[in-house]
Amino acid sequence: MTREQYILATQQNNLPRAENAQLYPVGIYGWRKRCLYFFVLLLLVTMIVNLAMTIWILKVMNFTVDSPLVLQSDRNVTVNARNHMGQLTGQLTVGADAVEAQCKRFEVRASEDGRVLFSADEDEITIGAEKLKVTGTEGAVFGHSVETPHIRAEPSQDLRLESPTRSLIMEAPRGVQVSAAAGDFKATCRKELHLQSTEGEIFLNADQIRLGNLPTGSFSSSSPSPSNSRQTVYELCVCPNGKLYLSPAGLGSTCQSSSNICLWS
């Protein structure tokens, strides 16, 4: 056998025989293919339904770019805030009768500069507005003390501080000033009005000082004259208990002669 015959015989033995080869089809056929198409169609339908539901919810709840967010309920709307442990730290409830907020501190800020207009916590309530206006017919009712640097009535309106069943006390370490620039100042009480100065004096500065409804005493002059029947000048006297009374003026003091008024008080 020559070299060429040996090489040819060896190549023929290495070639695969076509009649013994088995062909395998590539791809998905039969019921598997039908199931795959069914799942793809089901996924497509689910996506379309989800998209339609999302658009419907946005339409019903008025979720738009330019319109505000509106939350509506037949009873109330409650918004809760919780910490990382799930504990309730704040709650806002909007109901038909009231709006309730439960939190450690409640603040209302201005939209322009962000300053606090109103804040409330367990210790104090702060109102930061330039003007506090109370429009109720009964005014403002305070159960305890009130601290303020300025109280002023509206223009052409009267300012009235009243305590119907208890006393009204105004205190300041450097004095309390009550001023009526264009009108009268009137202090009225049911029982007694006390003006007391512990270290200074009570100074009354006016063109005329009138004390009305003071009792008037009488005395008998040693030399009666026709002018005694038309007494126009009186002397202001004071009793040991502080009561004031008038006594007809004479050449000297007549308070001792009319001191019987002090016995009636």
Side-chain angles (χ1 to χ4, degrees), residues 218-228 231 248-254 257:
S218 61
F219 76 101
S220 59
S221 177
S222 59
S223 57
S225 61
S227 61
N228 292 335
Q231 183 72 36
L251 298 178
S253 177
T254 60
S257 302

Side-chain angles (χ1 to χ4, degrees), residues 119-135:
S119 64
D121 54 20
E122 296 180 357
D123 299 329
E124 64 178 3
I125 296 177
T126 304
I127 299 177
E130 295 181 358
K131 180 186 295 185
L132 174 62
K133 187 175 183 180
V134 181
T135 59

Side-chain angles (χ1 to χ4, degrees), residues 196-260:
Q196 181 180 0
S197 177
T198 57
E199 297 181 0
E201 62 181 1
I202 298 176
F203 181 66
L204 301 178
N205 184 11
D207 295 337
Q208 295 181 357
I209 298 176
R210 297 182 180 181
L211 301 176
N213 298 327
L214 291 180
T216 303
S218 61
F219 76 101
S220 59
S221 177
S222 59
S223 57
S225 61
S227 61
N228 292 335
S229 60
R230 293 179 297 176
Q231 183 72 36
T232 58
V233 180
Y234 293 90
E235 181 181 359
L236 180 62
C237 305
V238 58
C239 296
N241 59 358
K243 182 178 181 181
L244 299 178
Y245 66 94
L246 296 178
S247 178
L251 298 178
S253 177
T254 60
C255 291
Q256 296 295 331
S257 302
S258 305
S259 61
N260 55 350

